[in-house]
Amino acid sequence: MNITGEMLIGQSAIKGQEGTFQAINPATNEKITPDFGAGTQTNVDQACTLAQQAFDTYRETTQEQRASFLEEIATGILALGPQLIERATQESGLPTARLEGERARTVGQLRLFAKVIRDGHYLNATLDSALPERTPPRSDLRLRKIALGPVAVFGASNFPLAFSVAGGDTAAALAAGCPVVVKAHSAHPGTSELVGRVIQQAVATCKLPEGVFSLIIGNGNAVGQALVSHPAIKAVGFTGSRQGGLALMRAAAQRREPIPVYAEMSSINPMFLLPNALAARAAQIGSAFVDSLTMGVGQFCTNPGLVIGLAGEHLAQFQEAASNALKAKAAGTMLTPGIHSAYVSGVERMRAIAGVESVGQGLAATGPCAAQAALFATDAATFLASEQLEDEIFGPSSLIVACKNEDEMRAVAEHLAGQLTATLQLDATDHALAKKLLPTLERKAGRILVNGFPTGVEVSYAMVHGGPFPATSDSRSTSVGASAIDRFLRPVCYQDLPADLLPAALQDGNPLGLSRLVDGALLAT
Amino acid sequence: MNITGEMLIGQSAIKGQEGTFQAINPATNEKITPDFGAGTQTNVDQACTLAQQAFDTYRETTQEQRASFLEEIATGILALGPQLIERATQESGLPTARLEGERARTVGQLRLFAKVIRDGHYLNATLDSALPERTPPRSDLRLRKIALGPVAVFGASNFPLAFSVAGGDTAAALAAGCPVVVKAHSAHPGTSELVGRVIQQAVATCKLPEGVFSLIIGNGNAVGQALVSHPAIKAVGFTGSRQGGLALMRAAAQRREPIPVYAEMSSINPMFLLPNALAARAAQIGSAFVDSLTMGVGQFCTNPGLVIGLAGEHLAQFQEAASNALKAKAAGTMLTPGIHSAYVSGVERMRAIAGVESVGQGLAATGPCAAQAALFATDAATFLASEQLEDEIFGPSSLIVACKNEDEMRAVAEHLAGQLTATLQLDATDHALAKKLLPTLERKAGRILVNGFPTGVEVSYAMVHGGPFPATSDSRSTSVGASAIDRFLRPVCYQDLPADLLPAALQDGNPLGLSRLVDGALLAT
């Protein structure tokens, strides 16, 4: 497939006229052809207007139609073959195997949402029978969820496939019945165009209204701001920096009609080393931790950036094992020059903080965007006194916090801001302490793991990739897993509607074969 | 029970020191004893700190414990007997029968949420089995919803029982496991104290931590702002004016940690008169419409403030019937002097708009806060050209909009802002037009009614009392009905937790007997 540098607005391909830019290969700092034309507010308006026009038709397509559409996209992504992986490798510096895995995940997400649509639980179909004899009489009441409206999706830099153009936010929104306008991430515009063309083609193949999908290209923040501010847009999906997420939250709150923003922002993913587990296998945990820390050059939202243990010989063993493991870790290429320089200055800032010691490093950096992994240590008193130590350093850097006793460990847990994950390394004899920590961790994190590592986010029914602010802007939701569809739905109640005006989901006889809550009883199918 | 004018902070009763005020009987403009002492930011902090301390314990009470607690509150409210109704009548001007009905509704809501808790569907218990043989292996993943945190509830003026201290927001939040801090509405402080003391007593009887409930009294907006800004508060429930709701939304967005605000604000509840229904029964609909319009002196969020029909003899018949019915409607006492004066100036403003005609009035006002019902008419062109005509006039005022044809009727529907309800008066021969209107109305409203009137909101499983902005601040939720509990929950995922650390809802063997989604299959009990 030819990469042209155009935006995809409905079924059109339009070269943006607001200047051009090229992708950069972070491994070489070289530009990659072709030129991409940046769009204007007018292009945003075109895409959003088409999305609005498509909305009523698209949201009332059958479950089967939307499921087939998602599967068509999945098939089309696979059909791109090596070209997609090669372009994504050039644009992101990520290794081929990682991107192949990410492609499988992207396709798997689309197929999971196809199943979610067909299952239909997301509709929350609920029926309350009329009670004409009651005083006062009760009307016939029926509830289903409908799509929220056109959704703006901002591609993430660190998952050029799985959280970008056809990634989790897009799949969930399309599944819900929402047209999607994607703002391509400037770091991987070619990858974005390839995937965007697949979706554009799937829209045509499935005979859907063209406004179901558009891909906008922008230089700087103006196009993104225009997108979030457009009256047709009813929700926003974003994965990126806290600064970026906060800007979108502000823009959404300042609209004439405020809209929900689902921003997945920053998390340092604390890992608690409980004493007996640490005594039993400090070295083993330390080495496995470094694998998690350096995987993908640490560029995961769930990267373990904080380790909490009790000061003493076992924590020293952990630190030594981690430090040794780190010495063998090559400096991987980061996604963009900007991310790399932010990492370098984050590590320098950490190094300069009084009370923080540098206790480990990976192999020295070689390429232009290569990041040397870094491990720091401090004590709990220092950690509790410095807010800065809680700032996310996006990349392979982590901080070990030594606590004097269990109370201090609990104080550190209580001190933490919202997180995507919290991990406990524990043995059976640690359960008493774990039970004391769990209530705090439940308040702080969207996912709690035992004896694992937070990197690697399963796409399934029970996954929660979310958490209290600043991990996300909305702790009531997840951006990964089947429940992600709930973000793009709202309930509507139908009172005394004649049978032929009722949506199929709510008709007597249950023609769609849905699980429904009928007079308070859940009738599963 | 003695009304003391004190705040209820946990198990203490504290007289506020920030000035005093008295309730006003709107029927006489006379003050009612005793003095109520207004609280300070310090009192807010006391209440919120207690709520925070209570949270972990309260949210992990058993479903049975919380259900019994809600039932204890319901019993306690009934045990107040005539005193509650008398005080509420004095403070609100609402008739005894209405308040008795509202008390029954309040008690019914508490009991519905007790059932919702015992059913346990709100937990969204979801289990994905480990797949150790898969590449990569899948962990054991289990999801449940937990309470969001302490909730601030602002009592509404127009439902001194059902949407005030022990009203829908409080019942839903307590059911979810959230401690509640209520800001009493200044219009009915005595009613608030009576109900507050019932909850305070129920907390003690059920041996719950005292911070589960507090009742704060404030003069002006400072106490409310302090409450929404307090770090311990994690969500806000509000029913009131658009101005008030917007202020709370701003305060919540400006916090260091932004929190969700569920504000139910303004709606004019359009009613569409489809041509064949109008031809068949214009007079009947007109007269029934006036009953809905003037019920409770029009002081319902769902009051029908807009009627849309095709210009012609049938709409004239409707208008004449409504006008005639209106002539017999007495001027009822409004809730407060402030609401009354806002109504009077709203009606005056409407009367002064060019192209708007006054076509009906109720009986002239007599008492100090009595409101004369008002009916206006205009044409669609005028309506579409003036945003002001969409402003809610809280009280018994409505506007008839005459459309030239069906297209204009659809244009009016499309022009509307978000609504709590939209109503269709239709006959079987109107279904074709109804099908054209429905997609628009689904986008605009939380509840769609056929051949009824929007006043009267059933408390049941399928009810939606919500809708797009400005009807509410968050169209993804409802403030009435069983689903209201969802507002105060967030999902947490547990990965590979040992059996004895798992919450009961997620344990193997399903000890709580919940309906659960297991490997994608819904297993209902």
Side-chain angles (χ1 to χ4, degrees):
Chain A
M1 190 181 282
N2 198 20
I3 300 176
T4 63
E6 293 165 306
M7 292 179 287
L8 307 175
I9 299 184
Q11 286 296 308
S12 307
I14 295 173
K15 191 69 168 243
Q17 299 299 316
E18 194 76 4
T20 61
F21 67 97
Q22 291 185 315
I24 292 169
N25 183 332
T28 61
N29 257 353
E30 286 168 355
K31 293 188 171 178
I32 315 169
T33 56
D35 283 348
F36 288 83
T40 61
Q41 192 152 349
T42 304
N43 302 124
V44 170
D45 188 54
Q46 290 166 334
C48 294
T49 301
L50 282 178
Q52 188 169 35
Q53 288 164 357
F55 178 48
D56 282 346
T57 303
Y58 181 62
R59 70 185 171 89
E60 288 301 336
T61 50
T62 64
Q63 290 159 263
E64 186 52 40
Q65 281 175 304
R66 286 205 305 294
S68 302
F69 172 48
L70 294 187
E71 289 167 341
E72 181 74 20
I73 298 171
T75 304
I77 289 171
L78 292 174
L80 286 170
Q83 183 189 11
L84 178 65
I85 302 296
E86 283 159 18
R87 180 80 197 190
T89 299
Q90 286 174 12
E91 290 185 334
S92 70
L94 293 170
T96 301
R98 148 70 197 269
L99 285 166
E100 285 171 349
E102 194 181 321
R103 178 177 59 187
R105 178 191 166 130
T106 307
V107 166
Q109 283 178 160
L110 288 158
R111 290 177 176 159
L112 173 67
F113 279 112
K115 178 164 171 12
V116 166
I117 302 174
R118 289 193 179 101
D119 290 345
H121 303 319
Y122 72 95
L123 289 162
N124 273 38
T126 304
L127 288 76
D128 295 331
S129 305
L131 299 173
E133 310 299 326
R134 199 193 64 174
T135 310
R138 183 169 84 177
S139 294
D140 178 285
L141 296 164
R142 306 183 188 217
L143 175 155
R144 68 163 176 167
K145 287 199 169 177
I146 71 168
L148 207 48
V151 171
V153 171
F154 289 78
S157 64
N158 62 338
F159 281 93
L161 300 174
F163 261 81
S164 190
V165 178
D169 287 336
T170 299
L174 291 177
C178 299
V180 169
V181 180
V182 175
K183 158 77 169 61
H185 198 288
S186 311
H188 53 267
T191 307
S192 297
E193 184 182 330
L194 288 172
V195 174
R197 286 187 182 275
V198 165
I199 305 179
Q200 189 185 50
Q201 180 57 50
V203 168
T205 303
C206 296
K207 301 190 170 53
L208 297 171
E210 62 169 337
V212 165
F213 174 78
S214 290
L215 177 68
I216 297 286
I217 296 171
N219 231 335
N221 299 328
V223 157
Q225 290 282 332
L227 184 54
V228 172
S229 305
H230 196 284
I233 295 297
K234 301 301 182 192
V236 179
F238 169 85
T239 299
S241 68
R242 193 191 307 197
Q243 189 187 340
L246 290 173
L248 295 182
M249 289 167 71
R250 275 193 301 273
Q254 282 161 9
R255 288 167 52 112
R256 190 183 157 95
E257 177 194 7
I259 55 172
V261 172
Y262 301 103
E264 197 262 86
M265 298 181 288
S266 65
S267 178
I268 55 173
N269 304 296
M271 177 170 80
F272 292 83
L273 306 173
L274 301 204
N276 295 307
L278 194 63
R281 45 196 172 91
Q284 180 197 331
I285 299 171
S287 150
F289 154 71
V290 166
D291 288 342
S292 174
L293 175 66
T294 56
M295 186 193 294
V297 203
Q299 299 168 117
F300 292 112
C301 325
T302 52
N303 199 52
L306 190 69
V307 181
I308 301 106
L310 296 187
E313 57 168 325
H314 303 306
L315 189 59
Q317 285 163 13
F318 167 86
Q319 187 172 303
E320 191 186 345
S323 179
N324 283 334
L326 212 52
K327 282 179 191 155
K329 293 290 180 187
T333 300
M334 295 196 88
L335 292 156
T336 70
I339 287 173
H340 175 256
S341 68
Y343 174 74
V344 169
S345 47
V347 168
E348 276 170 14
R349 221 170 26 244
M350 182 69 93
R351 213 184 294 278
I353 296 173
V356 174
E357 190 188 354
S358 173
V359 298
Q361 280 190 296
L363 291 167
T366 48
C369 289
Q372 183 176 24
L375 186 62
F376 298 95
T378 191
D379 56 44
T382 304
F383 181 78
L384 293 170
S386 164
E387 283 197 11
Q388 214 183 348
L389 290 176
E390 269 203 76
D391 288 347
E392 183 185 16
I393 299 176
F394 189 71
S397 169
S398 194
L399 174 67
I400 301 170
V401 177
C403 304
K404 275 187 289 199
N405 50 41
E406 291 183 4
D407 284 348
E408 209 173 49
M409 185 178 261
R410 291 175 64 190
V412 168
E414 196 55 63
H415 180 78
L416 292 169
Q419 306 290 340
L420 293 170
T421 71
T423 299
L424 294 166
Q425 302 292 347
L426 55 78
D427 278 358
T429 42
D430 291 314
H431 285 198
L433 175 55
K435 283 180 184 173
K436 290 181 194 165
L437 283 166
L438 274 170
T440 301
L441 300 183
E442 286 178 330
R443 272 189 279 106
K444 301 288 180 175
R447 177 164 57 111
I448 297 170
L449 304 82
V450 166
N451 293 340
F453 294 92
T455 45
V457 181
E458 184 70 34
V459 181
S460 70
Y461 292 92
M463 177 49 65
V464 176
H465 190 64
F469 186 89
T472 78
S473 56
D474 190 337
S475 72
R476 296 164 294 173
S477 64
T478 173
S479 61
V480 176
S483 305
I485 193 173
D486 297 337
R487 297 176 296 166
F488 302 116
L489 298 165
R490 50 172 276 260
V492 174
C493 172
Y494 303 83
Q495 179 170 330
D496 288 335
L497 255 66
D500 78 315
L501 294 181
L502 273 173
L506 301 179
Q507 287 169 7
D508 292 343
N510 196 10
L512 300 184
L514 300 170
S515 297
R516 309 200 292 190
L517 191 71
V518 179
D519 292 323
L522 183 58
L523 307 182
T525 56
Chain B
M1 191 183 281
N2 198 19
I3 300 176
T4 63
E6 292 166 305
M7 293 180 286
L8 308 174
I9 298 185
Q11 287 295 308
S12 306
I14 296 173
K15 191 68 169 246
Q17 300 298 316
E18 194 77 3
T20 61
F21 66 96
Q22 290 185 315
I24 293 170
N25 183 333
T28 61
N29 257 353
E30 286 168 354
K31 293 189 171 177
I32 315 169
T33 55
D35 283 348
F36 288 82
T40 61
Q41 191 150 351
T42 304
N43 302 123
V44 169
D45 187 54
Q46 289 166 335
C48 294
T49 302
L50 283 178
Q52 188 168 35
Q53 288 163 358
F55 179 47
D56 281 347
T57 303
Y58 181 61
R59 70 184 171 90
E60 289 301 337
T61 50
T62 65
Q63 291 158 262
E64 186 53 39
Q65 281 174 304
R66 285 205 306 294
S68 302
F69 172 47
L70 294 187
E71 289 167 342
E72 181 74 20
I73 297 171
T75 304
I77 288 171
L78 291 175
L80 286 171
Q83 183 190 9
L84 179 65
I85 302 297
E86 283 160 19
R87 180 79 196 190
T89 299
Q90 286 174 12
E91 291 185 332
S92 70
L94 293 170
T96 301
R98 148 70 198 272
L99 286 166
E100 286 170 348
E102 195 181 321
R103 178 177 60 188
R105 178 191 166 131
T106 308
V107 167
Q109 284 178 161
L110 289 158
R111 290 177 176 159
L112 174 67
F113 279 111
K115 179 165 173 5
V116 166
I117 302 174
R118 289 193 179 101
D119 289 345
H121 303 319
Y122 71 95
L123 289 162
N124 272 39
T126 304
L127 288 77
D128 294 332
S129 305
L131 298 174
E133 310 300 327
R134 199 193 64 174
T135 311
R138 183 169 86 178
S139 294
D140 178 284
L141 295 163
R142 307 183 188 217
L143 175 155
R144 68 163 177 168
K145 288 200 169 177
I146 70 168
L148 208 47
V151 171
V153 171
F154 289 77
S157 64
N158 62 338
F159 281 94
L161 300 174
F163 261 80
S164 190
V165 178
D169 287 336
T170 298
L174 290 178
C178 300
V180 169
V181 180
V182 175
K183 157 77 170 62
H185 198 289
S186 312
H188 53 266
T191 307
S192 297
E193 183 181 330
L194 288 171
V195 174
R197 286 188 181 275
V198 164
I199 305 179
Q200 189 185 49
Q201 180 57 50
V203 169
T205 303
C206 296
K207 300 191 171 52
L208 298 171
E210 61 169 336
V212 165
F213 174 78
S214 290
L215 177 68
I216 297 285
I217 295 171
N219 230 335
N221 299 328
V223 157
Q225 290 281 333
L227 183 55
V228 173
S229 304
H230 196 283
I233 295 296
K234 301 300 182 191
V236 179
F238 169 85
T239 299
S241 68
R242 192 190 310 196
Q243 189 187 341
L246 289 173
L248 295 182
M249 288 167 71
R250 275 192 301 273
Q254 282 161 9
R255 288 166 52 112
R256 191 183 157 96
E257 175 195 8
I259 55 172
V261 172
Y262 300 103
E264 198 261 85
M265 298 180 288
S266 65
S267 179
I268 55 173
N269 304 296
M271 177 170 79
F272 293 83
L273 306 172
L274 302 204
N276 295 307
L278 194 62
R281 46 197 171 91
Q284 181 198 331
I285 300 171
S287 148
F289 154 72
V290 166
D291 289 341
S292 174
L293 175 65
T294 56
M295 186 194 294
V297 203
Q299 299 167 116
F300 292 111
C301 325
T302 52
N303 199 52
L306 191 69
V307 181
I308 301 107
L310 296 187
E313 57 168 325
H314 303 307
L315 189 60
Q317 285 163 12
F318 167 86
Q319 188 171 304
E320 192 188 342
S323 179
N324 282 334
L326 212 51
K327 283 179 190 154
K329 293 290 180 186
T333 300
M334 296 196 87
L335 292 155
T336 70
I339 287 173
H340 175 257
S341 68
Y343 173 74
V344 169
S345 47
V347 167
E348 276 170 15
R349 220 169 29 243
M350 183 68 93
R351 211 184 295 277
I353 296 174
V356 174
E357 191 187 353
S358 172
V359 298
Q361 280 188 298
L363 290 167
T366 48
C369 289
Q372 184 175 23
L375 186 62
F376 297 95
T378 192
D379 56 46
T382 304
F383 181 78
L384 293 169
S386 164
E387 284 197 9
Q388 213 183 350
L389 291 176
E390 270 203 75
D391 288 346
E392 183 184 15
I393 299 176
F394 190 70
S397 170
S398 194
L399 173 67
I400 301 170
V401 177
C403 304
K404 275 187 290 200
N405 50 41
E406 290 182 4
D407 284 349
E408 211 174 48
M409 186 179 260
R410 292 174 65 191
V412 168
E414 197 55 62
H415 180 79
L416 292 169
Q419 305 290 340
L420 292 171
T421 70
T423 300
L424 294 166
Q425 302 293 345
L426 56 77
D427 279 358
T429 43
D430 291 312
H431 285 199
L433 176 56
K435 282 179 185 173
K436 291 180 192 165
L437 284 166
L438 274 170
T440 301
L441 300 183
E442 285 177 330
R443 271 189 279 106
K444 302 287 179 175
R447 177 164 55 113
I448 297 170
L449 304 82
V450 166
N451 294 339
F453 294 92
T455 45
V457 181
E458 184 70 33
V459 181
S460 71
Y461 292 92
M463 177 49 64
V464 177
H465 190 64
F469 186 89
T472 77
S473 56
D474 190 338
S475 72
R476 296 163 294 173
S477 64
T478 173
S479 60
V480 176
S483 306
I485 194 174
D486 297 337
R487 297 176 297 166
F488 302 117
L489 298 165
R490 49 173 277 260
V492 174
C493 172
Y494 302 84
Q495 180 171 329
D496 289 334
L497 255 67
D500 78 314
L501 294 181
L502 272 174
L506 300 179
Q507 287 169 8
D508 291 344
N510 196 10
L512 301 184
L514 300 170
S515 297
R516 310 200 290 190
L517 191 72
V518 179
D519 292 322
L522 183 59
L523 307 182
T525 55

